Amino acid sequence: MVNKQGQTRLSKYYEHVDINKRTLLETEVIKRCLSRSNEQCSFTEYKDFRLIYRQYAALFIVVGVDDTETEMAIYEFIHNFVEVLDEYFSRVSELDKMFNLDKVHIILDEMVLNGCIVETNRERILAPLLILYSECVDSDL
Amino acid sequence: MLVQFFQRTHDSLLLLGKSKEAEIKRINKELANIRSKFKGDKALDGYSKKKYVCKLLFIFLLGHDIDFGHMEAVNLLSSNRYTEKQIGYLFISVLVNSNSELIRLINNAIKNDLASRNPTFMGLALHCIASVGSREMAEAFAGEIPKVLVAGDTMDSVKQSAALCLLRLYRTSPDLVPMGDWTSRVVHLLNDQHLGVVTAATSLITTLAQKNPEEFKTSVSLAVSRLSRIVTSASTDLQDYTYYFVPAPWLSVKLLRLLQCYPPPEDPAVRGRLTECLETILNKAQEPPKSKKVQHSNAKNAVLFEAISLIIHHDSEPNLLVRACNQLGQFLQHRETNLRYLALESMCTLASSEFSHEAVKTHIETVINALKTERDVSVRQRAVDLLYAMCDRSNAPQIVAEMLSYLETADYSIREEIVLKVAILAEKYAVDYTWYVDTILNLIRIAGDYVSEEVWYRVIQIVINRDDVQGYAAKTVFEALQAPACHENLVKVGGYILGEFGNLIAGDPRSSPLIQFNLLHSKFHLCSVPTRALLLSTYIKFVNLFPEVKPTIQDVLRSDSQLRNADVELQQRAVEYLRLSTVASTDILATVLEEMPPFPERESSILAKLKKKKGPSTVTDLEDTKRERSVDVNGGPEPAPASTSAMSTPSPSADLLGLGAAPPAPAGPPPSSGGGGLLVDVFSDSASVVAPLAPGSEDNFARFVCKNNGVLFENQLLQIGLKSEFRQNLGRMFIFYGNKTSTQFLNFTPTLICSDDLQPNLNLQTKPVDPTVEGGAQVQQVVNIECVSDFTEAPVLNIQFRYGGTFQNVSVQLPITLNKFFQPTEMASQDFFQRWKQLSNPQQEVQNIFKAKHPMDTEVTKAKIIGFGSALLEEVDPNPANFVGAGIIHTKTTQIGCLLRLEPNLQAQMYRLTLRTSKEAVSQRLCELLSAQF
């Protein structure tokens, strides 16, 4: 998840990538996506990967996959993810993701595990966060 | 709490834009603070510990290295509060690498959580295993997790995590995941009521099935029935898993993927049901949408595209293939760019199926239109790919013409690829070679800069090999050269062709010798050194072809700008050619400057280039430059049999390739010898002309690929027999020369010739044989062979001798092929498919589908595969009709593991051969060699 200035807001790797290589990789990937216009399609190739991306206001969500995935399915999965975030944060902005990085991670972990889509049902994705919420309420009392 | 911290970090992040230093300063301060808190005497409570660990995590995610806090994170794992545990696990998942010494402590905490029977805690623990996935973790939990997965009382969410956790362990340490009775129960998870569980299980089963197809065969019927229930359900049936009126789209996609691990189901009932499903999916695409939202159609199309991939994968139902093609055809005109892109891409694969090739061709106008109107270069690129894929003899002229016209405006990034594609199609489907010549010349005119050397070498080879097109080619290049500004590549082609065949148009007063010469020479001064060198060779050829222009040419050669040229190569040519034209008699000139003999037929080097372009660029580029350098030094990579003489005539080695930046010193014979020396060179060269390959030797050669002994060559005079043995990277070959006549052979000299490409990769050593072979006698020659690195070409054996006063000259290819250095490897099915999977990089696989040339006999095939050198693996392939083999190619520098799979199709009398090795060139060569055997 990257903003228009090219700053990474959230990144998750399902294969080991060295931390110092990550920054470089992310920069190149986002450059690739930013250089494309709205008229161009949402799929592009980067090295051995296919990049599938969607833009939400100033925020890009980019997914890199190998050839075992279906482009259209991932494309729409991104939207599903954003809808879940939307529901949880009522309206997602970049700042939400900044301040609630841990929660975004939980949501993503519930949806994608080990690089595979694991859950697509909104209520079930958000279940752990409800536990979290109830615990927080407890502790505040 | 956290929010405050983030707020502050965010403020500092705002600084980030202004100064990196400020950020680092701020972070270092925070790190020092946290460190002191952790080291402090006061024990921290869970809440603060969580707070600081979370800060560390955040700092890490900003891209800074963290070298402490791991212990505190591990402590959090044993907390009973979800929030604390969760942060602990998150920290470990993100930051702990697999060889950390903390792993034992972590494993302990995980064990406790797994035993806790609290589904959220179990979930966290499983997530952690899935993200770290180290060997130690696999050792500790690989036995446990399958039980959790199939236990009846496990909560659904835990099952989901367990399935993907197991997948991770299977990927990292497959040997530690025991197959057992749980496998059949895992397959039955496809029937689980809970679609989330099915989603997770399908990913696991797909991976397991790829490696153990036999054990997971039952998943096919289960997946089909699950898919069928989803596809036919009313959109409300699956409540929460319906996404904008599309029932469980992602699960459907996964199930369709799983089915692509297998051939079409054999059971007619299952097969019927699957066909029904696929038809329903295709039908739904035609129905009016249930929602106007784009999410609805996206999800629906995701399933549709995957269904089409399955149809293409099965490649067995003509009806479905054609329907798929029509559906994609509709998408080609859709207003969504994404859909057009994907449709072009899948159509490319459809074009290669015999059932749908014709159907794909009907969309040619749309695709051509896409080429002209698409605004996205990646979409246009797909359109080019598709045109290339759908091209055959019937539409080649149209497609080539369209590609050419597109080339005028094409993006620079894809021009070279288009040039290669056009050149290949023009050659492959040329019925009329004048069309081919026109096409290539157009190519040079439109995109000269992108026409690589391979392309223009090839046109020259073809013109030289086909005498029906030579006159036309000469006329056409002559006309093309009339243009005031023409590309240097055209000058090269023009110079070469007029030098060889200018005489064919010299009768026309408009293209008389002098006009031809003046035309070429008018371009001379604008050209680079290599082209000028080529033109000089053309001039000396003119001296031979047209004695009347000899004085003019001599004047040019004699001018200071030639004789005293600063460039050594040009100067040398000018000096030598001038001398040659004055000293040599007409006869000698005619011999030395004779027309080029035909080139040996072989695979187009352009095709090889296109294949290479698709590969990873960095490595090949390096190899390329290396190869080019060695070419320059050695004079040229052309195999010796093609050239009449070495240095000075426009032979392919001297002119087509090697002139570039040839360093003066090591380039062949010492250049200082001047004119007199040259003639000696010319004579000594022409005495050792190597004969073109003997007819039929190709067939004989192929016969030796799978065997080591036999007769390689036989004519009325001579018989050549072979016996050879190979072990690892070494081999020994006994060559027997039998004199079939009753007369002596004199000056009998066999020579082994390795081309420059081959030489560094294959070492051949032998001793000369007795120059006299008595009538009826046999002499033996031993060749010691060492394979240094993988190679493609075969060495050539040239034999020269005198028989009854006549000079005899025979060349045959010596069957020393890469597969001779095979050592068979036995392996079990599981190992085979695991390795197969590991070699799944597109460059590692080469596939060939071809018609059977011999009767398709199982036993003969087996014998051939064994003779080829690999082990024949029984009971590995789920389909008993298929053959699989495995072995290792031994070379001095490296060992290359090779897997092969041969799938016969008796009905169609076809084979599909797939080779996977760690090296593209090896896969390519082995596939070539073995394909010729069936």
Side-chain angles (χ1 to χ4, degrees):
Chain A
M1 214 178 275
V2 190
N3 68 11
K4 256 189 169 164
Q5 286 78 47
Q7 292 166 307
T8 306
R9 286 307 182 218
L10 172 75
S11 68
K12 184 103 186 162
Y13 292 79
Y14 296 99
E15 263 170 38
H16 184 74
V17 179
D18 253 12
I19 176 142
N20 29 20
K21 288 194 186 139
R22 289 184 184 191
T23 330
L24 185 69
L25 179 84
E26 285 162 17
T27 322
E28 282 185 23
V29 163
I30 188 63
K31 242 192 232 155
R32 180 68 63 101
C33 297
L34 282 173
S35 65
R36 297 172 63 84
S37 73
N38 291 340
E39 282 164 359
Q40 298 188 304
C41 66
S42 318
F43 318 112
T44 173
E45 279 167 22
Y46 174 74
K47 294 195 177 156
D48 298 345
F49 294 98
R50 289 159 168 273
L51 300 178
I52 298 161
Y53 67 93
R54 281 184 95 145
Q55 188 183 355
Y56 292 93
L59 206 60
F60 278 83
I61 299 182
V62 188
V63 184
V65 297
D66 60 12
D67 56 5
T68 61
E69 299 288 347
T70 316
E71 282 99 337
M72 213 48 185
I74 301 295
Y75 180 74
E76 204 44 42
F77 186 75
I78 296 177
H79 187 73
N80 195 359
F81 175 55
V82 171
E83 283 191 0
V84 173
L85 293 180
D86 243 346
E87 178 164 323
Y88 184 72
F89 296 113
S90 63
R91 250 189 72 84
V92 214
S93 72
E94 202 182 328
L95 285 184
D96 283 329
K97 264 152 243 163
M98 287 288 307
F99 297 150
N100 294 290
L101 203 60
D102 53 338
K103 300 203 179 76
V104 178
H105 260 279
I106 296 180
I107 292 176
L108 187 58
D109 279 348
E110 287 300 318
M111 294 182 76
V112 181
L113 184 54
N114 193 10
C116 298
I117 297 175
V118 50
E119 184 58 78
T120 55
N121 172 345
R122 242 171 267 175
E123 277 161 38
R124 293 175 50 88
I125 293 167
L126 295 176
L129 285 166
L130 294 178
I131 304 177
L132 195 70
Y133 177 73
S134 62
E135 265 192 33
C136 284
V137 173
D138 288 350
S139 68
D140 286 348
L141 284 174
Chain B
M1 41 135 202
L2 286 178
V3 173
Q4 279 171 353
F5 166 70
F6 285 135
Q7 187 77 60
R8 273 186 285 139
T9 328
H10 182 244
D11 295 342
S12 68
L13 266 182
L14 293 178
L15 285 173
L16 186 145
K18 290 166 197 151
S19 136
K20 187 85 186 160
E21 278 162 39
E23 185 199 69
I24 291 173
K25 214 167 150 193
R26 171 81 181 81
I27 283 186
N28 282 340
K29 201 174 143 204
E30 191 62 45
L31 284 176
N33 176 34
I34 299 173
R35 206 187 288 266
S36 72
K37 288 279 196 266
F38 283 163
K39 282 206 179 137
D41 307 328
K42 220 172 71 185
L44 291 172
D45 59 5
Y47 172 78
S48 336
K49 223 184 267 173
K50 181 190 81 173
K51 184 171 79 181
Y52 294 123
V53 168
C54 191
K55 283 183 180 187
L56 286 178
L57 182 61
F58 190 78
I59 291 169
F60 176 80
L61 291 173
L62 287 176
H64 300 268
D65 220 356
I66 298 293
D67 56 0
F68 68 103
H70 300 72
M71 198 58 212
E72 284 71 15
V74 173
N75 285 341
L76 285 177
L77 298 185
S78 43
S79 162
N80 271 327
R81 299 183 71 90
Y82 177 80
T83 42
E84 289 166 18
K85 212 184 249 303
Q86 193 259 336
I87 290 294
Y89 272 122
L90 189 57
F91 183 92
I92 285 160
S93 307
V94 176
L95 259 135
V96 172
N97 53 12
S98 46
N99 47 16
S100 164
E101 58 225 44
L102 290 173
I103 218 87
R104 222 152 14 99
L105 289 173
I106 299 170
N107 277 358
N108 231 348
I110 292 177
K111 204 164 275 169
N112 290 336
D113 280 333
L114 282 183
S116 71
R117 312 195 65 73
N118 174 336
T120 29
F121 289 2
M122 287 172 87
L124 285 176
L126 289 167
H127 277 223
C128 179
I129 303 176
S131 11
V132 179
S134 69
R135 218 171 151 79
E136 288 88 343
M137 281 193 176
E139 275 162 6
F141 302 109
E144 181 72 15
I145 293 167
K147 286 181 209 148
V148 175
L149 178 58
V150 295
D153 57 347
T154 308
M155 295 272 294
D156 292 334
S157 64
V158 177
K159 275 189 193 164
Q160 282 174 281
S161 307
L164 290 167
C165 182
L166 191 57
L167 173 59
R168 172 62 187 248
L169 296 186
Y170 186 76
R171 279 185 187 153
T172 45
S173 331
D175 51 312
L176 291 178
V177 180
M179 293 290 138
D181 31 333
W182 62 272
T183 47
S184 60
R185 298 176 66 184
V186 163
V187 174
H188 281 277
L189 288 178
L190 289 174
N191 264 337
D192 201 285
Q193 291 202 319
H194 191 280
L195 288 191
V197 174
V198 186
T199 309
T202 311
S203 290
L204 174 64
I205 295 167
T206 305
T207 305
L208 290 171
Q210 275 164 354
K211 294 179 180 167
N212 319 281
E214 201 51 35
E215 276 177 79
F216 289 88
K217 226 175 172 175
T218 45
S219 62
V220 173
S221 61
L222 289 170
V224 169
S225 65
R226 175 53 96 177
L227 183 68
S228 153
R229 269 178 284 157
I230 295 173
V231 169
T232 53
S233 69
S235 55
T236 46
D237 286 0
L238 303 164
Q239 345 94 18
D240 305 334
Y241 285 88
T242 299
Y243 180 84
Y244 289 92
F245 302 102
V246 182
W250 291 285
L251 176 55
S252 309
V253 166
K254 282 192 180 192
L255 289 168
L256 289 162
R257 274 272 160 182
L258 169 60
L259 290 171
Q260 286 172 57
C261 299
Y262 289 94
E266 280 156 26
D267 180 348
V270 178
R271 193 174 171 143
R273 204 160 176 201
L274 176 60
T275 308
E276 223 170 80
C277 279
L278 295 171
E279 275 169 352
T280 313
I281 294 173
L282 286 168
N283 289 340
K284 278 191 182 171
Q286 297 299 330
E287 286 166 12
K290 294 201 179 101
S291 154
K292 287 218 167 69
K293 287 240 165 77
V294 65
Q295 287 87 344
H296 170 71
S297 58
N298 280 347
K300 203 162 83 170
N301 291 333
V303 178
L304 179 62
F305 275 112
E306 199 57 57
I308 292 177
S309 312
L310 180 63
I311 293 171
I312 297 172
H313 171 81
H314 283 170
D315 195 10
S316 59
E317 300 271 352
N319 173 35
L320 286 176
L321 282 160
V322 170
R323 284 195 63 187
C325 181
N326 293 339
Q327 181 59 50
L328 293 176
Q330 284 184 15
F331 284 153
L332 287 182
Q333 306 193 12
H334 203 278
R335 61 192 159 77
E336 282 256 346
T337 316
N338 287 337
L339 283 180
R340 295 197 303 271
Y341 174 91
L342 294 173
L344 286 167
E345 192 177 58
S346 334
M347 235 187 207
C348 246
T349 39
L350 265 180
S352 58
S353 161
E354 51 174 324
F355 300 117
S356 48
H357 183 81
E358 288 304 315
V360 171
K361 273 166 61 186
T362 58
H363 299 287
I364 183 167
E365 297 301 335
T366 320
V367 183
I368 287 172
N369 197 35
L371 207 54
K372 291 176 180 158
T373 54
E374 282 293 346
R375 296 191 185 172
D376 181 353
V377 54
S378 30
V379 182
R380 288 194 298 269
Q381 167 116 45
R382 293 285 162 259
V384 173
D385 289 347
L386 178 54
L387 283 179
Y388 181 74
M390 69 162 74
C391 190
D392 61 19
R393 208 168 283 276
S394 71
N395 54 19
Q398 185 189 7
I399 286 180
V400 166
E402 289 296 344
M403 281 187 168
L404 273 175
S405 79
Y406 171 56
L407 196 54
E408 307 216 25
T409 54
D411 312 74
Y412 296 109
S413 56
I414 59 176
R415 277 194 185 186
E416 190 183 355
E417 200 180 313
I418 299 178
V419 167
L420 290 174
K421 284 186 164 148
V422 170
I424 290 168
L425 293 178
E427 182 186 336
K428 198 166 163 193
Y429 298 115
V431 187
D432 174 2
Y433 276 85
T434 58
W435 173 71
Y436 171 75
V437 171
D438 285 341
T439 305
I440 302 292
L441 290 182
N442 263 329
L443 214 49
I444 295 176
R445 183 179 57 76
I446 296 168
D449 286 342
Y450 297 88
V451 172
S452 57
E453 295 189 327
E454 284 87 348
V455 173
W456 72 263
Y457 291 171
R458 191 71 189 157
V459 68
I460 285 173
Q461 288 179 2
I462 285 177
V463 169
I464 286 176
N465 287 7
R466 308 194 61 95
D467 33 14
D468 52 333
V469 76
Q470 289 161 354
Y472 180 80
K475 183 165 161 280
T476 319
V477 289
F478 177 78
E479 279 160 11
L481 282 169
Q482 308 277 348
C486 51
H487 195 272
E488 192 167 328
N489 278 336
L490 179 67
V491 179
K492 290 181 189 165
V493 175
Y496 200 101
I497 288 182
L498 291 181
E500 294 290 329
F501 310 113
N503 54 330
L504 299 177
I505 55 168
D508 188 330
R510 282 166 301 178
S511 51
S512 72
L514 192 61
I515 295 179
Q516 283 185 41
F517 171 75
N518 285 336
L519 180 61
L520 283 175
H521 199 55
S522 68
K523 317 281 180 197
F524 187 90
H525 299 282
L526 301 170
C527 291
S528 63
V529 170
T531 311
R532 287 195 213 178
L534 185 147
L535 285 178
L536 288 177
S537 299
T538 302
Y539 298 168
I540 189 72
K541 286 233 158 190
F542 274 1
V543 169
N544 174 43
L545 289 179
F546 316 120
E548 64 267 38
V549 294
K550 184 168 162 182
T552 322
I553 288 173
Q554 281 176 329
D555 283 346
V556 169
L557 292 175
R558 206 176 287 126
S559 70
D560 277 359
S561 62
Q562 308 300 348
L563 276 190
R564 300 200 179 159
N565 196 297
D567 185 273
V568 187
E569 176 70 27
L570 292 182
Q571 192 186 68
Q572 185 187 347
R573 283 187 190 224
V575 170
E576 290 181 355
Y577 291 161
L578 180 61
R579 191 81 188 132
L580 183 66
S581 68
T582 12
V583 177
S585 70
T586 342
D587 283 353
I588 292 175
L589 266 186
T591 315
V592 172
L593 302 171
E594 199 185 6
E595 191 180 300
M596 289 293 297
F599 287 83
E601 278 305 329
R602 54 187 163 164
E603 192 201 9
S604 160
S605 50
I606 314 175
L607 207 57
K609 168 121 182 173
L610 183 69
K611 283 179 197 154
K612 205 161 63 185
K613 250 187 94 67
K614 297 285 184 186
S617 54
T618 42
V619 186
T620 20
D621 283 350
L622 194 71
E623 278 175 3
D624 256 5
T625 35
K626 259 196 227 149
R627 206 172 305 134
E628 270 160 28
R629 212 172 298 138
S630 75
V631 163
D632 283 344
V633 174
N634 296 330
E638 292 291 325
S643 65
T644 29
S645 62
M647 287 301 291
S648 0
T649 54
S651 73
S653 52
D655 262 355
L656 272 181
L657 300 165
L659 22 95
S672 55
S673 51
L678 171 86
L679 275 183
V680 176
D681 283 346
V682 168
F683 285 132
S684 64
D685 273 338
S686 61
S688 65
V689 170
V690 175
L693 288 181
S697 79
E698 288 288 353
D699 291 353
N700 268 338
F701 177 80
R703 242 183 282 148
F704 276 89
V705 169
C706 291
K707 63 172 192 172
N708 286 332
N709 307 327
V711 173
L712 177 66
F713 171 81
E714 184 157 27
N715 65 9
Q716 284 155 333
L717 309 176
L718 176 72
Q719 185 192 54
I720 305 175
L722 293 183
K723 252 189 186 174
S724 44
E725 51 193 16
F726 294 87
R727 210 169 55 85
Q728 304 209 323
N729 71 320
L730 301 175
R732 178 177 297 163
M733 181 176 269
F734 295 87
I735 310 178
F736 301 94
Y737 305 99
N739 183 343
K740 289 171 70 180
T741 69
S742 51
T743 322
Q744 276 185 336
F745 291 164
L746 294 171
N747 296 339
F748 187 83
T749 34
T751 326
L752 293 170
I753 302 163
C754 290
S755 69
D756 294 325
D757 275 350
L758 183 57
Q759 204 144 34
N761 301 329
L762 188 69
N763 256 336
L764 298 181
Q765 302 213 325
T766 185
K767 292 202 179 100
V769 297
D770 193 333
T772 313
V773 184
E774 298 296 335
Q778 193 180 55
V779 293
Q780 173 192 327
Q781 187 179 27
V782 187
V783 185
N784 286 316
I785 305 158
E786 185 192 28
C787 175
V788 181
S789 173
D790 64 288
F791 60 96
T792 305
E793 294 176 36
V796 171
L797 173 66
N798 173 252
I799 301 134
Q800 302 182 356
F801 59 93
R802 289 197 162 274
Y803 165 71
T806 56
F807 177 66
Q808 302 289 329
N809 192 347
V810 174
S811 284
V812 285
Q813 273 190 304
L814 210 52
I816 300 174
T817 46
L818 188 54
N819 65 298
K820 300 291 179 195
F821 306 95
F822 242 137
Q823 295 289 311
T825 319
E826 291 292 343
M827 57 177 83
S829 172
Q830 195 183 337
D831 291 343
F832 181 86
F833 283 100
Q834 185 194 331
R835 284 173 208 203
W836 184 261
K837 182 76 188 151
Q838 281 163 359
L839 295 169
S840 58
N841 205 322
Q843 287 95 43
Q844 296 170 330
E845 184 190 85
V846 171
Q847 196 169 70
N848 188 14
I849 298 172
F850 54 92
K851 270 241 175 287
K853 291 186 287 286
H854 303 285
M856 296 175 79
D857 181 310
T858 310
E859 290 312 311
V860 174
T861 307
K862 281 184 182 171
K864 278 183 176 164
I865 291 179
I866 293 169
F868 191 63
S870 70
L872 180 71
L873 304 178
E874 307 268 11
E875 293 176 8
V876 165
D877 201 286
N879 180 351
N882 293 347
F883 304 91
V884 293
I888 294 171
I889 298 273
H890 287 259
T891 73
K892 190 180 173 191
T893 44
T894 164
Q895 301 193 345
I896 302 146
C898 311
L899 302 176
L900 66 91
R901 186 179 197 187
L902 180 73
E903 299 159 84
N905 180 342
L906 282 170
Q907 264 177 335
Q909 287 286 304
M910 307 265 287
Y911 284 105
R912 174 158 71 188
L913 175 64
T914 315
L915 254 295
R916 285 193 178 181
T917 79
S918 45
K919 208 165 165 189
E920 187 183 8
V922 174
S923 304
Q924 189 70 43
R925 179 58 178 160
L926 291 179
C927 185
E928 243 170 66
L929 286 169
L930 192 55
S931 299
Q933 297 301 313
F934 298 104

